[in-house]
Structures are given as C-alpha cells and as structure tokens.
C-alpha cells in the first residue's frame, strides 16, 4: 500500500520507520494531525475527524498499547488514503468497521500493517530472534510495539 502513496508521504513514513517501534507520532506531526488517547463510546477503537483546518485522531485509552498503536496507524491510513471521504468524521469499531466501505477498511488495515511492521524489518527481526515460535512472536510484538495477534498475521504475510 505504501507504494501507492506520493513520494513526500513515503519519505515521511520511511523516516519514522528508521527505528522500531515505528515513530507514529512523527508521522502524525508531519501531517499536522493531533493524536489523543480518549474515553470513546463503548465498542469504538478510534476515530479521525477534521479539527481546526487539520485532522484529529482519538484512540480508545482503555485499549492495550499495541492495540492503540494499530488504531492510530489505521486512522493515519484513512487520512493518507481516504482524506476526501472522511467528511465530518469516521469512527471505527473494535473490528475496524465504520461508515466507510469494507474495501476502504481493508485498505486502511493493510497500510497500517505496512507502516507499523515494515516487511524487511520484520524479516530481519525474525531472523535474529531465538527460542520457540511463541517466544519469537512475543519478541517481535514487543520490538514493533504491536499485539501478538497483529504480529502473527504480519509474519504470515511476509514469510
Ligand atoms: Zn477504519
């Protein structure tokens, strides 16, 4: 999905990916987006809406850190891919369903995974990891700051 973004956006993302966990805050700042951990309505993981000429992301503060990071990346993906469809705002439930189409949601999930878990970095980290598969999975999830569930899906995609 990153390949489909304009060069300026790809450069911002690549710079944030120089270290892991990927610096999501740098990406948000580069695009003038504020990110706040907030109390959201039950069942809502995150949202993005216009705010003062820019955009604001809110993430459910009761979710785990890894989950919150995926949500922020997902909302950033909506900004990067679907800015013209955000309208007065998009709210994502726990399964990342919103007023946008399932196809748009799948795109946002793919770009979020590309941002948080860069393919080559995942391959390299996995090659360096030791122990049982479960131990290696846990190491990678910590390394990339994501849930083990998200990491397991990504590992299947890149291996
Ligand atoms: Zn979404």
């Amino acid at each position: 999905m990153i390949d489909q973004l304009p060069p300026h956006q790809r450069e911002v993302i690549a710079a944030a990916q120089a270290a892991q966990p990927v610096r999501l805050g740098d990406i948000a700042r580069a695009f003038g987006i504020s990110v706040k951990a907030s109390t959201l309505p039950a069942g809502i993981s995150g949202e993005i809406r216009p705010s003062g000429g820019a955009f604001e992301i809110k993430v459910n503060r009761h979710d785990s850190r890894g989950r919150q990071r995926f949500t922020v990346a997902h909302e950033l993906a909506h900004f990067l891919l679907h800015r013209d469809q955000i309208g007065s705002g998009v709210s994502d439930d726990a399964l990342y369903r919103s007023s946008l189409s399932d196809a748009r949601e799948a795109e946002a999930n793919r770009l979020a995974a590309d941002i948080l878990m860069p393919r080559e970095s995942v391959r390299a980290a996995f090659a360096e990891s030791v122990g049982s598969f479960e131990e290696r999975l846990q190491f990678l999830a910590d390394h990339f700051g994501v849930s083990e569930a998200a990491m397991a899906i990504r590992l299947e995609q890149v291996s």
Side-chain angles (χ1 to χ4, degrees), residues 114-150:
D114 284 353
I115 289 172
L116 287 170
M117 298 168 279
R119 208 166 276 273
E120 291 311 317
S121 302
V122 169
R123 288 200 184 107
F126 187 73
E128 287 169 15
S129 64
V130 294
S132 67
F133 181 79
E134 182 55 37
E135 287 165 338
R136 297 172 82 178
L137 180 61
Q138 198 175 354
F139 167 79
L140 265 78
D142 287 346
H143 182 79
F144 290 98
V146 299
S147 69
E148 287 187 34

Side-chain angles (χ1 to χ4, degrees), residues 34-85:
S34 66
V35 177
K36 293 189 180 113
S38 308
T39 299
L40 295 175
I44 298 298
S45 287
E47 61 179 41
I48 182 165
R49 60 184 66 255
S51 170
F55 286 86
E56 176 181 69
I57 291 172
K58 287 184 179 171
V59 59
N60 192 322
R61 67 185 182 90
H62 297 296
D63 286 344
S64 69
R65 172 175 172 270
R67 171 89 192 168
Q68 287 187 33
R69 283 176 54 78
F70 195 92
T71 299
V72 171
H74 177 100
E75 302 304 336
L76 285 172
H78 278 319
F79 169 82
L80 295 167
L81 298 170
H82 312 130
R83 200 179 322 183
D84 57 341
Q85 296 164 53

Side-chain angles (χ1 to χ4, degrees), residues 3 12 17 80:
D3 297 346
V12 166
Q17 289 175 326
L80 295 167

Side-chain angles (χ1 to χ4, degrees), residues 74-75 78 90-92 96-98 100 104-105 108-109:
H74 177 100
E75 302 304 336
H78 278 319
V90 169
S91 291
D92 280 287
Y96 299 113
R97 291 175 307 204
S98 74
L100 300 179
R104 297 286 171 269
E105 291 306 327
N109 283 334

